[in-house]
Amino acid sequence: MKNRLMTAALILLMVIASSCSKEEPGLKDAFEGDFLIGTAVNATQVFGKDEKAQAFIAKQFNSVTPEDAMKWERIHPEPGMYEFTLADSTVAFARKHDMTVIGHCLVWHSQIPGWVFQDSLGNPLTRDALLERMKDHISTVVGHYKGQVKGWDVVNEAVDEDGSLRKTKWLEIIGEDYIEKAFEFAHDADPDAELYYNDYNNEERAKRTGVIALVKKLQDKGIRIDGIGIQGHWHLDSPDFKVVDESISEYAKLGVKVMVTEMEINVLPTPVWLYGAEISKTAEYRDSLNPYVAGLPDSVQNMLTDRYAELFRLLLKHKETISRVTFWGVHDGYSWKNNWPIPGRTNYPLLFDRNYQPKPAYYAVIEQAKKMK
Ligand code: G3I
């Protein structure tokens, strides 16, 4: 109790001190030498429609992931038609500010047009035809950004909660080796790019076992894989960070980098069956599930602050293994958690509020970085 009061007092003092000082440190500066600090960015920010966004992003973050711009449905909406405008602008913005770019994502079951799996008559593609289509997509997209993207989420969310491979069109038509093929095609297209497997809930034991088996299989076949992304769509009450701790260690034993790639902490009441990030699952809006429209009560703000402090204590403990921590959104107003799994809510899952002001959790996180230098 005494410790918590002292921490709260310390954070309050830092908030007051920083509001008097002209230059607050950027998050990325606080974690210099520990790991990269990234954010997901969207069209509003990249095209400058939000006037404050670009300078703010450049100050706080040193890594950028396009939130949607490189997904198949966006970058390759029709057969033979690639739409690079937003992704190009994202890469140009990041490079202008010396931020690394993470490519997200090449092979995923979601946000992919139906035509990908069909021939021109609407019949299912053969294995060979789908492999050819996958290769064309990967070599075109990765080739387009060769030398500009530090690493790619090559395969996204291919493992189910029980550790088995997710039943997707990729698996159904090509078979289990679609994953290795995707990594091989990506490596051929840009041999210098890092290649990652990315998933949500893969800190949980059963899913983690499946991911470890998948990565070992690639490694046994001599296929390049550089890292595992733990998305980190987390909550105030879940997961138990002990399991995250354990998973980082288990993944590190594979000799790959570990990244937290899409982090936020949901503060709203959410049915447990909607934890994770299975975006095909949703629930209907109810006012009782949207309790903080007028602002976040101090009690919940404190829980969020403590949770972020605990999380960063843990991430810093593993800083030799963790190469990047990316927040899924720049500030609370931009978070996808305002609209998923229940649309139209007011959520507060990030370190900055809707006016770009740092929240107490931001100071708590910076404090952890200082303590653990
Ligand atoms: O931009 C259009 C807008 O023009 C249109 O009027 C509106 C109406 O539907 O849609 C807008 O696009 C939405 C977009 O978010 C921007 O808000 C898309 O419908 C919606 O599908 C999209 O959701 C994204 C979701 O992935 C699906 O692609 C979220 O931004 C994005 O945060 C989320 O990110 C995923 C990761 O890629 C993978 N891991 C899970 C994570 C959360 O689902």
Side-chain angles (χ1 to χ4, degrees):
M1 183 65 186
K2 200 174 159 200
N3 270 353
R4 282 190 66 173
L5 276 175
M6 281 176 70
T7 309
L10 194 66
I11 289 170
L12 187 65
L13 277 175
M14 288 174 73
V15 174
I16 295 167
S18 69
S19 61
C20 301
S21 75
K22 280 197 181 116
E23 255 323 275
E24 289 171 27
L27 266 181
K28 65 176 166 58
D29 306 312
F31 290 92
E32 180 80 52
D34 299 330
F35 33 67
L36 293 174
I37 293 284
T39 184
V41 294
N42 62 26
T44 306
Q45 297 146 2
V46 168
F47 289 145
K49 288 183 203 151
D50 173 344
E51 286 171 7
K52 286 190 179 161
Q54 296 199 359
F56 183 85
I57 293 168
K59 179 177 173 188
Q60 299 293 344
F61 304 98
N62 48 18
S63 177
V64 154
T65 306
E67 186 166 358
D68 292 306
M70 290 181 175
K71 291 173 181 172
W72 194 308
E73 67 179 7
R74 299 288 177 106
I75 208 162
H76 188 181
E78 312 265 347
M81 183 204 152
Y82 286 87
E83 173 46 69
F84 288 116
T85 314
L86 175 56
D88 282 359
S89 302
T90 307
V91 172
F93 160 64
R95 286 167 64 83
K96 181 174 160 200
H97 296 285
D98 276 333
M99 297 183 277
T100 66
V101 183
I102 304 302
H104 174 80
C105 50
L106 297 170
V107 172
W108 190 20
H109 64 280
S110 186
Q111 317 307 119
I112 183 160
W115 63 259
V116 174
F117 303 103
Q118 296 168 356
D119 66 17
S120 55
L121 299 173
N123 299 314
L125 283 190
T126 61
R127 166 184 157 90
D128 285 350
L130 185 55
L131 276 172
E132 199 45 48
R133 194 159 274 178
M134 182 205 269
K135 185 178 182 183
D136 166 71
H137 177 82
I138 293 178
S139 47
T140 306
V141 175
V142 176
H144 185 83
Y145 295 108
K146 191 172 179 188
Q148 304 186 70
V149 164
K150 178 188 169 78
W152 286 94
D153 292 334
V154 178
V155 176
N156 197 39
E157 302 172 7
V159 176
D160 249 325
E161 302 307 301
D162 66 358
S164 66
L165 285 186
R166 187 191 278 267
K167 313 295 173 282
T168 65
K169 287 272 176 208
W170 294 113
L171 182 68
E172 183 190 316
I173 298 175
I174 299 177
E176 288 190 9
D177 62 342
Y178 86 87
I179 296 174
E180 39 201 88
K181 294 291 179 196
F183 277 86
E184 283 177 341
F185 296 152
H187 182 55
D188 290 346
D190 186 354
D192 294 328
E194 293 187 350
L195 306 180
Y196 315 131
Y197 175 76
N198 190 47
D199 214 330
Y200 64 83
N201 284 355
N202 53 340
E203 65 279 359
E204 297 296 336
R205 291 190 181 99
K207 197 159 184 172
R208 176 178 83 209
T209 306
V211 172
I212 290 175
L214 183 158
V215 172
K216 276 192 172 149
K217 205 167 164 189
L218 295 177
Q219 291 176 325
D220 288 348
K221 292 190 172 181
I223 294 168
R224 176 171 184 170
I225 172 159
D226 300 278
I228 298 175
I230 298 175
Q231 292 185 4
H233 294 295
W234 290 325
H235 305 263
L236 286 177
D237 62 351
S238 171
D240 182 337
F241 284 149
K242 276 190 200 133
V243 87
V244 178
D245 189 7
E246 195 180 283
S247 294
I248 296 169
S249 301
E250 290 302 307
Y251 287 148
K253 287 183 193 157
L254 296 166
V256 294
K257 296 178 178 177
V258 178
M259 285 144 271
V260 183
T261 55
E262 305 182 11
M263 189 165 75
E264 86 270 308
I265 296 178
N266 165 50
V267 302
L268 296 182
T270 300
V272 175
W273 61 275
L274 287 169
Y275 280 17
E278 178 46 66
I279 49 181
S280 59
K281 293 183 187 163
T282 55
E284 257 179 46
Y285 178 89
R286 276 187 279 137
D287 282 344
S288 61
L289 297 174
N290 189 23
Y292 311 132
V293 179
L296 196 61
D298 287 348
S299 57
V300 187
Q301 188 83 265
N302 291 342
M303 283 193 268
L304 182 70
T305 304
D306 290 349
R307 185 94 168 128
Y308 263 118
E310 187 190 351
L311 178 54
F312 272 83
R313 226 175 0 256
L314 167 64
L315 298 177
L316 284 160
K317 184 179 108 179
H318 290 282
K319 63 185 174 189
E320 301 306 323
T321 303
I322 293 179
S323 56
R324 171 173 55 96
V325 175
T326 290
F327 290 85
W328 209 236
V330 175
H331 68 48
D332 286 342
Y334 280 115
S335 170
W336 74 299
K337 296 299 292 183
N338 292 300
N339 287 303
W340 190 89
I342 294 158
R345 299 200 293 178
T346 305
N347 214 327
Y348 302 83
L350 296 166
L351 297 187
F352 300 99
D353 72 17
R354 286 164 169 76
N355 296 314
Y356 288 101
Q357 294 308 303
K359 292 156 62 174
Y362 163 91
Y363 295 102
V365 157
I366 299 252
E367 187 54 22
Q368 289 306 318
K370 283 188 189 153
K371 268 193 201 157
M372 294 177 73
K373 278 290 177 219

